[in-house]
Amino acid sequence: MAILVLGGAGYIGSHTVYELIDYGEQVVIVDNLETGHIEAVHPKAKFYQGDIRNRAFMDRVFEENKIDAVIHFAANSLVGESMTNPLKYYDNNLCGTKVLLESMVAHRIDKIVFSSTAATYGEPENIPILETDKTNPTNCYGETKLSMEKMFKWTGKAHGLRYVSLRYFNACGAHESGQIGEAHAPETHLIPLILQVPNGIRESITIFGDDYPTPDGTCIRDYIHVTDLAMAHIQAVQYLRAGNTSNIFNLGNGVGFSVKEVIETARAVTGHPIPAVIEGRRAGDPARLIASSEKARQVLGWNPQHDDLSKIIASAWKWHKGHPDGFAK
Ligand code: UDP
């Protein structure tokens, strides 16, 4: 039996595939390569290029392979873009998941691990954020991910499908080999953008807002290493295989760093002065997001290994230094 990884050529998807294969699992990948990279596809995985919105294609994948569980990363995931082009997010994230679920139900595939986000909470009521806290997304990306979670819930009730939704905080870092890492075009995420400065690609980093109600005025986020996220997916599949009920888990380190602190740490790691320029706030950004991941630790036995921001940034730097243009030749 194989695990089907949708979006397995993307950032978190490719790192999860690497861990699954190290773990001895058989892996089938589906990716439309719209934002994923063929170079990030693990050579031992079976690869299909195609789109989850294509029902006939998804049916063929389920018919040609013995699939035990699905891990679903295939979605658009940029906060800023979701605010300017919301219908793109409804189309890919929600319509894609609807087609996927129809095909899963038809083929009696009953386990799915889903890539969700801290953006489902919106402006948090409490810090650290618990899974039971109110969900009220402040951007369309978070709204579509929350709707996807609800689609799993109701489909599960009707058709016996079980799901684990993993609400990631800020994914960062790269595989220890330095062979795969974060590569978005255009890049919008803080750490890769900061590292473009010592890589000679940009002259400075822009800070989006220094008037937030935080100690230094910049947004605080919980940065979690991509390999730790990958491990949680393996544990979530095991949890479902063991017959457990559907569940939702936060994944973060439980520690917050401001944008200014991240830049300062990157200066120390790279030895580059990394000039910073303050600009206005970015639409849809909550001031502070920090996870409580106690539930994932208790229930899944998740134990993140990378809790030091310098080491996380050093792992990202190893990848970006060796691949300044991402996967481009
Ligand atoms: N950010 C920034 N400058 C940038 C990119 C991001 O100040 O060039 C800030 C952004 O406003 C947020 C934090 O860095 O507060 C993390 O943003 P990112 O896009 O990496 O992740 P998100 O929190 O949106 O998932």
Side-chain angles (χ1 to χ4, degrees):
M1 296 290 268
I3 296 182
L4 174 62
V5 181
L6 308 171
Y11 173 42
I12 307 173
S14 61
H15 285 78
T16 301
V17 170
Y18 269 63
E19 296 309 311
L20 284 165
I21 284 173
D22 273 0
Y23 207 75
E25 297 282 358
Q26 267 184 284
V27 177
V28 177
I29 295 176
V30 161
D31 200 300
N32 64 7
L33 298 183
E34 191 187 296
T35 54
H37 304 275
I38 191 70
E39 299 86 347
V41 169
H42 195 292
K44 289 193 178 150
K46 180 172 175 186
F47 177 66
Y48 288 84
Q49 182 172 356
D51 197 299
I52 62 165
R53 286 165 287 196
N54 180 341
R55 174 69 195 270
F57 166 69
M58 288 312 300
D59 285 347
R60 182 163 72 86
V61 172
F62 286 119
E63 274 148 30
E64 289 180 357
N65 300 279
K66 282 194 176 352
I67 303 294
D68 171 36
V70 174
I71 307 183
H72 181 20
F73 297 99
N76 291 112
S77 62
L78 302 178
V79 168
E81 184 189 50
S82 80
M83 301 297 279
T84 54
N85 195 358
L87 296 178
K88 174 176 177 180
Y89 281 68
Y90 277 89
D91 179 41
N92 193 21
N93 297 4
L94 280 173
C95 300
T97 300
K98 171 194 162 264
V99 175
L100 163 70
L101 285 172
E102 284 168 347
S103 186
M104 284 180 69
V105 168
H107 293 88
R108 296 192 176 78
I109 314 289
D110 64 353
K111 296 185 276 302
I112 184 161
V113 174
F114 167 61
S115 166
S116 187
T117 167
T120 52
Y121 293 107
E123 196 64 60
E125 288 179 305
N126 304 302
I127 296 286
I129 302 172
L130 291 167
E131 291 83 351
T132 47
D133 285 355
K134 182 189 78 197
T135 47
N136 186 17
T138 53
N139 55 62
C140 181
Y141 162 63
E143 189 73 48
T144 58
K145 288 276 175 165
L146 186 60
S147 303
M148 287 158 86
E149 288 189 354
K150 291 184 176 165
M151 231 190 247
F152 294 124
K153 180 176 98 176
W154 296 110
T155 309
K157 281 188 198 296
H159 299 289
L161 171 142
R162 288 172 299 125
Y163 70 94
V164 166
S165 177
L166 299 174
R167 291 181 177 163
Y168 318 148
F169 283 60
N170 285 62
C172 54
H175 193 260
E176 59 178 8
S177 65
Q179 294 304 303
I180 54 169
E182 195 165 3
H184 300 111
E187 188 52 76
T188 65
H189 292 110
L190 180 64
I191 293 176
L193 282 174
I194 292 174
L195 295 176
Q196 285 183 356
V197 182
N199 246 347
I201 299 167
R202 65 171 55 230
E203 293 198 341
S204 60
I205 182 72
T206 304
I207 297 176
F208 294 141
D210 68 346
D211 57 350
Y212 284 94
T214 60
D216 67 17
T218 65
C219 286
I220 292 177
R221 294 288 181 273
D222 182 334
Y223 293 89
I224 180 76
H225 197 277
V226 64
T227 302
D228 286 324
L229 291 180
M231 287 311 297
H233 293 77
I234 297 181
Q235 289 169 315
V237 168
Q238 287 167 337
Y239 168 91
L240 290 174
R241 278 180 178 157
N244 292 298
T245 53
S246 296
N247 219 330
I248 296 177
F249 300 98
N250 287 341
L251 299 178
N253 267 315
V255 183
F257 292 97
S258 71
V259 173
K260 283 187 177 168
E261 286 171 327
V262 175
I263 296 170
E264 201 48 57
T265 309
R267 288 178 179 137
V269 167
T270 61
H272 189 283
I274 312 183
V277 176
I278 314 278
E279 272 190 17
R281 293 183 179 194
R282 187 175 68 174
D285 266 342
R288 219 162 153 232
L289 293 173
I290 302 173
S292 163
S293 300
E294 267 322 293
K295 187 175 165 191
R297 290 172 188 267
Q298 299 290 327
V299 179
L300 296 178
W302 186 57
N303 185 17
Q305 300 296 303
H306 304 79
D307 57 0
D308 180 310
L309 185 64
S310 314
K311 289 190 185 149
I312 293 177
I313 293 181
S315 90
W317 181 225
K318 180 174 171 184
W319 154 253
H320 288 291
K321 209 172 160 182
H323 301 80
D325 301 319
F327 289 101
K329 297 271 179 326

